Amino acid sequence: MPHKTVIIGGGAAGLGAAGGVKAANPDAEVVVYTEFEDVAYSPCGIPYVHGQEIPDFERLFLATKEQYVSVGIDVHYETSVTGIDTGARTVQVTGEGTVGYDTLIVATGFEYADPGVPGGELEGLYYVKNIRAAMEWDKVLDSVKRAVVVHATPLGVEMTTSLAHRGIETHLIDPNPWPLADMADADIMAPVEESWRELGVVAHFNTTLEGFVGQGHVSAVATSDGELPCDLVVVATHKTPNARLAAAAGLKIGSTGGIIVDERMATSVPGVYAAGDAVEVPHGLTRVPLQGLTGSHAYAQGKTAGTNAGGGTRAYKAVYVPWGTPAGKWVIGGASFGETTATALGIPYVLGQAQGISRARYYPGVKPVKVKLLAEPGSLRLIGAQMVGQEGIKERADFLAMAVKHGFTFHDLSTMENVYSPAIGALNEPIVVAATNGLEELRKAGKL
C-alpha cells in the first residue's frame, strides 16, 4: 500500500502541503478535504475584484480541478472532517465515515473573531473569505449606497479602499487611534488616512462597535459614537486560528490559540503536521508567537509540512515578517516591526528615517517614499522597518526582512550598492539615506 497523507483544508497551506508530499514521494496517496466548493484560489484578491481593479473572480483561480486529478491529488470538495483519532491514525469524514492515514496535515485556516455584540444574526453582514460567497456579495454591492467596515485590520484596510473605489459611501470604525495600529506606526498611516478622506471615506477611530441594528437585515451599526446607517457591513475583525479539531485531538495549542509546531511543521503528536493560519510560529528576533500571517507564509509552511510528511526533509525557519498592502492611494509595508510594536514590547531602538523618491527626480511619475529603520542600540543591527510610498515598497520590504534576518547594520545599509536608472530608481536609494541619517543623528548626539 502506498503511503497515505490526509490533508484537512484546501487553502494555500493545504495545497502547498499536497504539492510538498508529492514532490517528496511521487507515489504517495494524497487526499485533501475541504468544506468549500473550490481549492487553490487567491482569497487575497477578493477585495480587488470588489473594487474593480481586477475585472472578474475567475482570474483568482490558480488551477483547474482537473489539474489536481492529473497530478494525483484527490480533492474532496464540500466535505467536512469532524474528528481526529491520532492513536488509531484515522479521521471522521462526513459522508465517508472513518478514513485512515499514515501522516496527517492540519491546515484548517482561520475564522474571524466574533464581534460579540447583538445583531450578529442579521443579513447583510459580509465576512470576506469564500470566493463563491464573494461572487454573490459582489452582485449585492451594485445596489449598496452606504457601507460600514468593522475594524482597520489588513482586510479592513483593503476593503475600505475597494468599497470607496466602487463608489460606495464607506465608513470605517476601529477602537484604535489609527488604522493597523497593532502593526503599523501612526506616521506611516497618516498619508493613508488623508487619501481615504480624498476618496470620501469617513473614518471613526477610538470608536467601539456596540451592535448591529435592523429587522432581519442590517440597517445601521451601533457604535460608542452613535449609529451609522448602512446597507451592508464588512466584518473584518482579527483573524483567529481555526484549531478546534486539533485541540480536541490533543495537539498542543499555544498562547495565540494556534497549533504549536516545530521548524518541520510537526505538531506535538507524531505523524501529525500543521500549517497556515491554524498554527503559530515564533518571530525571528523576539520569539513572540505569531499567527495569521500572509498567504505566502501559509504556502511555505504547507510545503514544509508536506515535504516532511512525505518522507523528505525541509525546515521552516522563524519569520521576519515582510508585509505590505495598498491602502488608499498609497502602499504601506515593512519588516519585523515598527516603533509602536517595539515600544509595546519594551525593545530599545535607535531610528533612521528618510523622505526619498522612487525614481530620478526629473523622470515622469516619480513618487515619494518614506523609510523608517529601527536598529539595536550599540550594535546598530537592523531590527525593523516601515515604509509608505507608491512604488517599490514590496521589494524593499522583502529585502529589509532579509537584512534583519542576516544582521545587517546601519553601517552596512548606509554603504550598500543600489541600482540607479532614472525610470526605476533614484540616485540616492531611500534605504541608504535613512541609514545614513540614523548614523548622523547618533554622531550629533555623541553616541557614535
Side-chain angles (χ1 to χ4, degrees):
M1 292 290 289
H3 178 97
K4 181 177 181 180
T5 297
V6 167
I7 300 170
I8 309 173
L15 268 294
V21 174
K22 295 299 283 186
N25 184 355
D27 297 324
E29 180 182 356
V30 178
V31 182
V32 178
Y33 291 103
T34 177
E35 297 180 352
F36 300 113
E37 303 95 324
D38 308 282
V39 296
Y41 58 86
S42 176
C44 299
I46 290 173
Y48 302 99
V49 182
H50 288 328
Q52 299 179 335
E53 291 95 344
I54 299 174
D56 55 66
F57 286 98
E58 285 66 29
R59 296 178 185 236
L60 303 187
F61 288 95
L62 307 178
T64 65
K65 294 181 178 182
E66 291 74 21
Q67 285 174 292
Y68 294 109
V69 173
S70 69
V71 296
I73 297 172
D74 182 14
V75 182
H76 295 223
Y77 301 92
E78 298 181 83
T79 305
S80 298
V81 175
T82 58
I84 301 169
D85 185 336
T86 59
R89 294 207 173 197
T90 61
V91 294
Q92 290 297 315
V93 182
T94 301
E96 297 182 22
T98 301
V99 176
Y101 65 81
D102 295 304
T103 50
L104 175 70
I105 301 172
V106 180
T108 42
F110 76 93
E111 297 172 324
Y112 289 105
D114 184 352
V117 297
E121 76 288 349
L122 293 174
E123 294 181 4
L125 305 184
Y126 178 21
Y127 294 81
V128 182
K129 189 174 184 181
N130 178 17
I131 194 168
R132 296 292 167 179
M135 291 175 179
E136 297 306 311
W137 280 106
D138 198 64
K139 299 172 187 175
V140 173
L141 290 177
D142 288 334
S143 61
V144 169
K145 303 298 184 187
R146 202 173 202 242
V148 175
V149 178
V150 175
H151 292 176
T153 59
L155 175 69
V157 166
E158 291 174 341
M159 284 299 296
T160 295
T161 303
S162 294
L163 293 173
H165 283 165
R166 187 76 171 245
I168 296 169
E169 180 185 333
T170 305
H171 292 252
L172 170 66
I173 67 168
D174 193 272
N176 297 297
W178 66 82
L180 292 179
D182 290 342
M183 58 190 292
D185 296 337
D187 58 330
I188 295 298
M189 298 308 298
V192 174
E193 293 184 59
E194 181 183 354
S195 71
W196 276 341
R197 287 190 288 270
E198 293 172 3
L199 287 169
V201 172
V202 181
H204 307 261
F205 295 113
N206 297 308
T207 301
T208 304
L209 173 69
E210 295 185 347
F212 303 112
V213 180
Q215 298 294 322
H217 193 283
V218 68
S219 60
V221 173
T223 79
S224 57
D225 199 32
E227 284 194 4
L228 299 171
C230 63
D231 307 309
L232 175 139
V233 178
V234 175
V235 183
T237 49
H238 177 67
K239 294 197 303 183
T240 62
N242 179 5
R244 290 188 304 277
L245 269 179
L251 278 64
K252 286 186 178 179
I253 305 298
S255 59
T256 69
I259 303 164
I260 295 176
V261 292
D262 63 16
E263 66 176 16
R264 300 178 64 248
M265 305 309 293
T267 71
S268 58
V269 175
V272 182
Y273 300 81
D277 288 323
V279 309
E280 64 177 41
V281 292
H283 187 281
L285 288 180
T286 66
R287 311 307 295 179
V288 170
L290 303 174
Q291 178 274 328
L293 300 175
T294 68
S296 60
H297 292 96
Y299 183 75
Q301 292 169 10
K303 291 290 283 188
T304 300
T307 299
N308 292 308
T313 301
R314 186 174 177 132
Y316 182 82
K317 301 296 186 181
V319 295
Y320 295 84
V321 206
W323 64 275
T325 186
K329 70 179 183 181
W330 298 93
V331 180
I332 52 174
S336 189
F337 49 74
E339 290 189 87
T340 300
T341 301
T343 301
L345 294 174
I347 298 172
Y349 63 90
V350 295
L351 195 64
Q353 304 184 68
Q355 184 67 55
I357 52 177
S358 62
R359 309 177 183 186
R361 59 176 176 76
Y362 51 79
Y363 195 89
V366 60
K367 306 295 183 184
V369 181
K370 178 176 181 176
V371 175
K372 291 172 59 177
L373 304 176
L374 282 71
E376 184 179 69
S379 73
L380 300 186
R381 182 171 64 100
L382 188 69
I383 58 174
Q386 293 203 346
M387 297 166 286
V388 58
Q390 293 176 319
E391 292 182 328
I393 299 300
K394 182 265 185 202
E395 294 80 5
R396 290 182 175 91
D398 288 342
F399 165 73
L400 288 168
M402 291 299 288
V404 173
K405 181 176 182 177
H406 291 286
F408 287 18
T409 68
F410 271 9
H411 295 288
D412 296 322
L413 296 176
S414 177
T415 57
M416 78 176 193
E417 295 179 292
N418 63 272
V419 171
Y420 169 53
S421 177
I424 61 172
L427 178 63
N428 295 309
E429 162 56 41
I431 292 173
V432 174
V433 178
T436 301
N437 289 346
L439 291 171
E440 183 60 26
E441 288 300 316
L442 289 169
R443 288 191 187 96
K444 288 179 180 178
K447 297 179 180 179
L448 189 65

